Amino acid sequence: MDFTFAPSHADSTSAPHIGLKAPDTESEHDRHELVVDLGVTDTERDPHELPTFSSESLTKPTSTVLYLPPLLSSLPRGLGILPDTSLEQQPTFTEARLPDIDPVSLSLHKALHRFHPATPHYAEVPYQEAFNWHELELPEDEEREWYCVAFRSKRLPGSDSGPLYDADEKAHREAVLSGGLIMYWYGVPNPQTGMNLATCIWQSRKHAVAASSHPEHVRAMTLAAVSYEVYTLERHKLRKLRGERGVTIEPFDGAEVVW
């Protein structure tokens, strides 16, 4: 089984209010279209303050969360990338560090600081349309492919988020330490359909397959199997060609990624 994480933190009746901020170049109408009410909150918060994610804050939010940041794996010691202070929406980073990373994946890691959903309907649209892939740029002389896993899900009514969230958190840490996991992103359920989307980007499929055999991942998937009404896995390739700066999403053909 290929590795992914279950978006275990919220169900369709207890999701935080999320406003997805659009780039400054978009119109006010476009910005309005990217705001989706996914729950009720009572307490105002500083919109520039990074939210704290936990099983409690995500299932019983007390304030408005204005964006869904990517969760990037922290780099090996000595390979720190300075944060891009021009970004209003800063990514979050794991406490655990990757054991290693190749140079082109390092460039992707930096580009993913700008990763965000392209639509509030990310759980319903095709994967290549769900995120701002067209805004990610790498050095022109680099070429590589990466392995992506998308997990579309719908929680069973009344299922307990706490144990699944805790298992997911441990499986995530385990995956970072084992190597290969570049980024993890998760959304919140659509208030009408209950569908949600989570995704991981890996240096290779071999890394993902290896991580799926680790004990914390096995435990998390055992809990997920009895917690979801719907869960499906999708596999994709993220491709960067030499001579171009942008990236594309391609169908996964079963072969290992090229790098």
Side-chain angles (χ1 to χ4, degrees), residues 96-231:
R97 292 180 178 273
L98 290 168
D100 52 56
I101 189 169
D102 65 274
V104 187
S105 292
L106 186 62
S107 295
L108 176 65
H109 187 283
K110 184 176 181 179
L112 287 170
H113 285 57
R114 298 179 177 274
F115 182 88
H116 62 75
T119 168
H121 306 291
Y122 44 77
E124 282 79 28
V125 302
Y127 188 67
Q128 62 269 25
E129 299 174 15
F131 302 102
N132 64 328
W133 305 110
H134 65 284
E135 296 179 359
L136 306 182
E137 292 188 344
L138 280 71
E140 192 171 330
D141 62 345
E142 295 182 338
E143 181 167 317
R144 201 191 193 287
E145 295 177 341
W146 297 270
Y147 181 65
C148 305
V149 181
F151 177 65
R152 299 183 192 267
S153 64
K154 182 178 180 180
R155 291 291 301 275
L156 281 171
S159 57
D160 188 358
S161 295
L164 188 55
Y165 176 88
D166 293 338
D168 179 63
E169 185 177 38
K170 291 177 181 177
H172 185 199
R173 173 180 171 81
E174 182 182 63
V176 174
L177 292 173
S178 69
L181 179 61
I182 300 174
M183 186 202 76
Y184 174 39
W185 182 92
Y186 51 85
V188 294
N190 182 293
Q192 282 76 46
T193 67
M195 290 299 295
N196 197 3
L197 175 66
T199 188
C200 304
I201 300 179
W202 294 85
Q203 292 184 54
S204 73
R205 184 171 182 266
K206 288 182 179 179
H207 284 101
V209 172
S212 70
S213 65
H214 296 326
E216 295 296 348
H217 174 70
V218 172
R219 176 172 175 266
M221 292 309 297
T222 300
L223 288 172
V226 297
S227 301
Y228 289 93
E229 180 180 331
V230 176
Y231 65 100

